[in-house]
Short mmCIF file of all heavy atoms in Angstrom, two decimals:
data_model
loop_
_atom_site.label_atom_id
_atom_site.label_comp_id
_atom_site.label_asym_id
_atom_site.label_seq_id
_atom_site.Cartn_x
_atom_site.Cartn_y
_atom_site.Cartn_z
N ASP A 41 -17.29 73.93 1.08
CA ASP A 41 -16.61 73.46 2.30
C ASP A 41 -16.83 71.96 2.51
O ASP A 41 -17.90 71.41 2.20
CB ASP A 41 -17.11 74.23 3.53
CG ASP A 41 -16.55 75.63 3.57
OD1 ASP A 41 -15.60 75.90 2.82
OD2 ASP A 41 -17.07 76.46 4.35
N LEU A 57 -20.90 73.04 14.42
CA LEU A 57 -22.29 73.48 14.56
C LEU A 57 -23.09 73.26 13.28
O LEU A 57 -24.30 73.05 13.32
CB LEU A 57 -22.33 74.95 14.95
CG LEU A 57 -22.11 75.27 16.44
CD1 LEU A 57 -22.15 76.78 16.66
CD2 LEU A 57 -23.16 74.59 17.29
N GLN A 67 -34.13 65.73 13.34
CA GLN A 67 -34.31 64.85 14.49
C GLN A 67 -35.77 64.71 14.91
O GLN A 67 -36.22 63.61 15.27
CB GLN A 67 -33.49 65.36 15.68
CG GLN A 67 -33.58 64.51 16.93
CD GLN A 67 -32.99 63.12 16.74
OE1 GLN A 67 -31.81 62.92 16.85
NE2 GLN A 67 -33.84 62.14 16.45
N LEU A 70 -37.74 61.89 13.29
CA LEU A 70 -37.21 60.53 13.38
C LEU A 70 -37.46 59.98 14.77
O LEU A 70 -37.38 60.72 15.77
CB LEU A 70 -35.70 60.50 13.08
CG LEU A 70 -35.29 61.05 11.71
CD1 LEU A 70 -33.78 61.08 11.58
CD2 LEU A 70 -35.90 60.23 10.59
N HIS A 82 -7.91 68.36 12.74
CA HIS A 82 -6.87 67.89 13.66
C HIS A 82 -6.56 68.93 14.74
O HIS A 82 -6.15 68.58 15.85
CB HIS A 82 -5.60 67.56 12.86
CG HIS A 82 -4.47 67.05 13.71
ND1 HIS A 82 -4.46 65.79 14.26
CD2 HIS A 82 -3.33 67.66 14.14
CE1 HIS A 82 -3.36 65.63 14.97
NE2 HIS A 82 -2.65 66.74 14.91
N ALA A 129 10.07 64.05 9.66
CA ALA A 129 10.79 62.79 9.84
C ALA A 129 12.29 62.97 9.59
O ALA A 129 13.13 62.42 10.30
CB ALA A 129 10.22 61.72 8.91
N ARG A 142 26.37 61.24 20.12
CA ARG A 142 26.82 61.65 21.45
C ARG A 142 26.87 60.47 22.41
O ARG A 142 27.80 60.34 23.21
CB ARG A 142 25.88 62.73 22.00
CG ARG A 142 25.93 64.04 21.24
CD ARG A 142 24.97 65.07 21.85
NE ARG A 142 24.99 66.33 21.13
CZ ARG A 142 24.22 67.36 21.45
NH1 ARG A 142 23.39 67.29 22.49
NH2 ARG A 142 24.29 68.48 20.75
N MET A 168 46.83 47.65 48.59
CA MET A 168 45.92 47.72 49.73
C MET A 168 46.08 46.52 50.65
O MET A 168 45.92 46.63 51.87
CB MET A 168 44.48 47.81 49.22
CG MET A 168 44.15 49.11 48.51
SD MET A 168 42.50 49.11 47.82
CE MET A 168 41.55 49.05 49.32
N ASN A 197 3.35 33.72 42.94
CA ASN A 197 3.96 35.02 42.65
C ASN A 197 5.13 34.82 41.69
O ASN A 197 6.09 34.11 42.01
CB ASN A 197 4.46 35.69 43.94
CG ASN A 197 3.33 36.04 44.88
OD1 ASN A 197 2.79 37.14 44.84
ND2 ASN A 197 2.96 35.10 45.73
N GLY A 204 24.72 37.85 36.98
CA GLY A 204 25.85 38.32 36.19
C GLY A 204 27.11 37.67 36.69
O GLY A 204 27.33 37.57 37.91
N ALA A 233 18.79 42.95 46.47
CA ALA A 233 19.64 42.39 45.42
C ALA A 233 20.88 43.24 45.21
O ALA A 233 21.98 42.72 44.98
CB ALA A 233 18.84 42.27 44.12
N PRO A 260 5.46 35.73 50.53
CA PRO A 260 4.81 34.49 50.10
C PRO A 260 5.73 33.28 50.25
O PRO A 260 6.93 33.39 50.03
CB PRO A 260 4.47 34.76 48.64
CG PRO A 260 5.51 35.73 48.19
CD PRO A 260 5.83 36.59 49.38
N ARG A 282 18.43 29.16 47.26
CA ARG A 282 18.44 27.76 46.87
C ARG A 282 18.91 27.62 45.42
O ARG A 282 19.71 26.75 45.09
CB ARG A 282 17.04 27.15 47.03
CG ARG A 282 16.66 26.83 48.47
CD ARG A 282 15.23 26.32 48.53
NE ARG A 282 14.79 26.12 49.89
CZ ARG A 282 14.89 24.97 50.56
NH1 ARG A 282 15.42 23.92 49.97
NH2 ARG A 282 14.44 24.87 51.79
N LEU A 286 22.43 25.92 44.26
CA LEU A 286 22.42 24.78 43.36
C LEU A 286 23.23 25.05 42.11
O LEU A 286 24.00 24.19 41.66
CB LEU A 286 20.96 24.45 42.99
CG LEU A 286 20.75 23.30 42.01
CD1 LEU A 286 21.23 21.99 42.59
CD2 LEU A 286 19.29 23.21 41.60
N TYR A 288 25.65 27.52 41.46
CA TYR A 288 27.04 27.96 41.56
C TYR A 288 27.85 27.20 42.60
O TYR A 288 29.08 27.27 42.57
CB TYR A 288 27.08 29.46 41.88
CG TYR A 288 26.62 30.31 40.74
CD1 TYR A 288 25.32 30.80 40.69
CD2 TYR A 288 27.47 30.63 39.69
CE1 TYR A 288 24.88 31.59 39.63
CE2 TYR A 288 27.05 31.43 38.64
CZ TYR A 288 25.76 31.89 38.61
OH TYR A 288 25.34 32.67 37.56
N ALA A 295 17.86 21.25 46.98
CA ALA A 295 16.83 20.99 45.97
C ALA A 295 15.97 19.81 46.40
O ALA A 295 16.48 18.82 46.93
CB ALA A 295 17.48 20.72 44.62
N ASP A 306 35.20 7.04 32.34
CA ASP A 306 35.30 6.07 31.26
C ASP A 306 36.22 4.93 31.67
O ASP A 306 37.39 5.14 31.97
CB ASP A 306 35.83 6.79 30.02
CG ASP A 306 35.54 5.99 28.76
OD1 ASP A 306 34.94 4.90 28.86
OD2 ASP A 306 35.92 6.48 27.69
N GLU A 310 34.86 0.31 25.51
CA GLU A 310 33.51 -0.16 25.27
C GLU A 310 32.46 0.70 25.98
O GLU A 310 31.29 0.62 25.66
CB GLU A 310 33.36 -1.61 25.72
CG GLU A 310 34.25 -2.56 24.92
CD GLU A 310 34.06 -3.99 25.38
OE1 GLU A 310 33.29 -4.19 26.34
OE2 GLU A 310 34.66 -4.90 24.80
N HIS A 331 51.26 2.39 32.56
CA HIS A 331 51.94 1.11 32.73
C HIS A 331 51.67 0.48 34.09
O HIS A 331 52.15 -0.61 34.37
CB HIS A 331 53.45 1.30 32.56
CG HIS A 331 53.80 1.83 31.19
ND1 HIS A 331 53.71 1.09 30.04
CD2 HIS A 331 54.21 3.07 30.79
CE1 HIS A 331 54.09 1.82 28.99
NE2 HIS A 331 54.38 3.03 29.42
N ALA A 345 40.56 6.28 42.67
CA ALA A 345 41.20 5.09 42.12
C ALA A 345 41.86 5.43 40.81
O ALA A 345 41.31 6.15 40.00
CB ALA A 345 40.16 3.98 41.92
N ASP A 382 6.73 23.66 61.21
CA ASP A 382 6.06 24.89 61.64
C ASP A 382 6.75 25.56 62.82
O ASP A 382 6.28 26.57 63.33
CB ASP A 382 4.60 24.60 61.99
CG ASP A 382 4.46 23.49 63.04
OD1 ASP A 382 5.51 23.01 63.53
OD2 ASP A 382 3.31 23.11 63.35
N GLY A 385 11.13 25.73 60.40
CA GLY A 385 11.12 25.95 58.97
C GLY A 385 11.92 24.94 58.17
O GLY A 385 12.00 25.04 56.94
N GLY A 392 5.87 7.54 59.87
CA GLY A 392 4.60 6.85 59.86
C GLY A 392 3.65 7.49 58.87
O GLY A 392 3.96 7.64 57.69
N ALA A 393 2.47 7.91 59.33
CA ALA A 393 1.51 8.58 58.47
C ALA A 393 1.69 10.09 58.49
O ALA A 393 0.98 10.80 57.78
CB ALA A 393 0.10 8.22 58.89
#
Side-chain angles (χ1 to χ4, degrees):
D41 285 347
L57 279 179
Q67 181 64 83
L70 302 175
H82 180 73
R142 293 181 181 178
M168 292 175 66
N197 295 269
R282 283 177 185 268
L286 178 64
Y288 291 98
D306 198 0
E310 297 181 357
H331 300 289
D382 55 4

